[in-house]
């Protein structure tokens, strides 16, 4: 506000469009946007899978993600990683990252499992209204946040650097580093794997059947409760992987409420692509990351990143309320 008033008093424009800056930083912005977009997409899958099966906005999923991030920091700190790049061979670094990823997946999946058992299953058995599920999800989000606050305090965890900076190649003069390459390729590979799991496996057929008609699926022999638990666990596993990539990109970004904003962005990505649609989560995440970065460069301040992303979301939803790729499961229900 003070900045805007000062600009008005000085008869300056408080908003400018710097197209030359966007042209100059096009490739760095695109690559950075794709990197963060890949993380958003992995977290968005947790939202979209649970919504597809239960028609539930699981806002506590952001805390499932931050649980994985804490697990990454604790595991790597225990393995001797710190604020400086590790003095290890690349094989040893890869092994340690696999261990950290497994720990994050297990921790996040465990919390997702407990959420389903403790918070949501009792409500389902009592046929609670949708609003009760929504309030419970928000409440569980704050409960987990405050557990981490009481345990670890308000200060972010010490930075954990996973690997030395290693350039691989360049695009348009912008150097692509190894960590960026790992994040984008691994995230897209996981998304493709989940897409194929949903489409081609028995578990995937069960998930689609419960999403389409839970009662009929039960009559046809599908174990609805097991499908629901599996859906939460899959979302938790993906959130754990996203946590590893997040710490790789933001080594000092793990704090008790660090999952909240990222969770909002991931949920936005799911809605943008079409919530309930696995491929929509991927597309929405990548678009959100890239568009936010373009807006930041074009308008000259990082404060515009989220504004531009949400404005684009609103504009897209005005034209396509079901998201860019549509909400497949919702259409089946209708």
């Amino acid at each position: 506000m003070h900045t805007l008033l000062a600009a008005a008093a000085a008869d300056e424009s408080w908003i400018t469009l710097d197209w030359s800056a966007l042209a100059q930083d096009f490739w760095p912005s695109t690559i950075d946007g794709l990197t963060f977009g890949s993380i958003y997409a992995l977290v968005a899958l947790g939202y979209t899978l649970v919504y597809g099966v239960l028609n539930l906005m699981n806002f506590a999923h952001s805390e499932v993600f931050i649980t994985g991030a804490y697990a990454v920091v604790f595991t790597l700190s225990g393995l001797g990683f710190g604020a400086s790049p590790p003095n290890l061979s690349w094989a040893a670094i890869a092994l340690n990252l696999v261990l950290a990823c497994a720990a994050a997946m297990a921790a996040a999946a465990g919390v997702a499992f407990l959420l389903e058992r403790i918070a949501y299953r009792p409500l389902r058995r009592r046929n609670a209204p949708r609003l009760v599920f929504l309030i419970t999800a928000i409440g569980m989000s704050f409960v987990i946040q405050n557990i981490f606050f009481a345990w670890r305090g308000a200060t972010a965890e010490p930075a954990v650097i996973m690997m030395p900076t290693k350039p691989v190649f360049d695009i348009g003069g912008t150097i692509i580093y190894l960590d960026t390459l790992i994040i984008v390729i691994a995230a897209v590979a996981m998304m493709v794997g989940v897409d194929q799991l949903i489409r081609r496996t028995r578990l995937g057929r069960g998930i689609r059947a419960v999403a389409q008609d839970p009662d009929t699926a039960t009559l046809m022999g599908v174990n609805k409760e097991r499908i629901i638990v599996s859906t939460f666990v899959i979302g938790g596993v993906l959130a754990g992987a996203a946590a590893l990539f997040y710490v790789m990109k933001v080594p000092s970004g793990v704090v008790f409420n660090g999952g909240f904003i990222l969770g909002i962005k991931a949920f936005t990505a799911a809605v943008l692509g079409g919530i309930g649609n696995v491929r929509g989560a991927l597309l929405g995440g990548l678009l959100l990351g890239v568009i936010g970065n373009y807006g930041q460069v074009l308008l000259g301040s990082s404060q515009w990143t989220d504004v531009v992303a949400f404005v684009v979301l609103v504009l897209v939803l005005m034209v396509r309320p079901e998201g860019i790729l549509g909400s497949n499961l919702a259409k089946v229900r209708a």
Side-chain angles (χ1 to χ4, degrees):
M1 179 64 75
H2 292 297
T3 304
L4 297 181
L5 290 174
D11 197 24
E12 296 175 354
S13 174
W14 58 276
I15 181 170
T16 56
L17 299 179
D18 192 346
W19 293 102
S20 62
L22 180 59
Q24 185 177 353
D25 294 338
F26 176 79
W27 283 114
S29 299
T30 303
I31 292 164
D32 199 47
L34 290 176
T35 308
F36 278 102
S38 300
I39 298 171
Y40 299 154
L42 281 178
V43 181
L45 257 186
Y47 288 105
T48 211
L49 286 174
V50 170
Y51 180 84
V53 170
L54 285 179
N55 207 10
L56 164 67
M57 305 292 189
N58 180 25
F59 286 112
H61 189 61
S62 55
E63 276 53 58
V64 171
F65 160 78
I66 204 64
T67 300
Y70 273 106
V72 169
V73 171
F74 295 156
T75 303
L76 290 179
S77 297
L79 292 170
F81 285 67
S84 302
N87 186 22
L88 299 171
S89 67
W90 284 105
I93 291 174
L95 178 60
N96 286 323
L97 294 190
V98 169
L99 289 175
C101 188
M105 287 178 169
V111 170
F113 175 81
L114 290 175
L115 272 174
E116 194 279 330
R117 280 298 176 93
I118 296 172
Y120 303 133
R121 180 172 292 192
L123 296 178
R124 287 205 314 277
R125 288 180 173 171
R126 290 170 174 78
N127 292 319
R130 296 289 176 197
L131 182 60
V132 175
F133 280 89
L134 181 63
I135 297 299
T136 301
I138 295 172
M140 291 307 299
S141 172
F142 283 109
V143 166
I144 298 173
Q145 273 190 37
N146 281 283
I147 288 174
F148 279 118
F149 175 74
W151 179 28
R152 304 300 298 176
T155 306
E157 296 297 318
V160 175
I161 307 297
M162 297 187 188
M163 63 182 68
T165 302
K166 182 177 176 58
V168 181
F169 58 89
D170 72 273
I171 298 177
T174 299
I175 298 173
I176 309 298
Y177 294 96
L178 181 61
D179 57 347
T180 298
L181 208 58
I182 290 174
I183 292 171
V184 175
I185 292 177
V188 172
M190 287 182 183
M191 301 287 285
V192 172
V194 171
D195 184 65
Q196 294 303 304
L197 181 145
I198 298 296
R199 292 172 183 274
R200 300 182 184 279
T201 67
R202 182 175 180 179
L203 174 61
R205 286 194 293 274
I207 290 174
R208 284 186 284 135
V210 172
Q212 182 176 355
D213 189 331
D215 295 331
T216 303
T218 302
L219 291 174
M220 297 296 290
V222 176
N223 188 329
K224 184 177 74 172
E225 293 301 326
R226 191 175 66 183
I227 291 296
I228 292 172
V229 170
S230 299
T231 303
F232 273 84
V233 169
I234 291 171
V237 167
L238 294 169
L244 176 77
F245 301 145
Y246 175 76
V247 178
M248 189 180 292
K249 193 68 180 171
V250 189
S252 58
V254 180
V255 65
F256 77 100
N257 58 356
F260 182 75
I261 294 298
L262 191 140
I264 293 292
K265 289 183 178 179
F267 178 72
T268 303
V271 175
L272 179 63
I275 194 161
N277 188 319
V278 173
R279 296 177 181 179
L282 173 62
L283 179 63
L286 296 178
L287 283 178
L288 194 72
V290 171
I291 291 171
N293 271 14
Y294 288 166
Q296 172 184 335
V297 175
L298 183 63
L299 295 166
S301 171
S302 60
Q303 295 178 344
W304 290 102
T305 304
D306 297 337
V307 176
V308 172
F310 283 105
V311 167
V312 170
L313 170 68
V314 171
L315 293 176
V316 169
L317 293 182
M318 288 174 67
V319 180
R320 286 184 63 83
E322 69 278 16
I324 296 173
L325 296 186
S327 180
N328 288 345
L329 299 177
K331 286 182 177 177
V332 171
R333 274 202 184 89

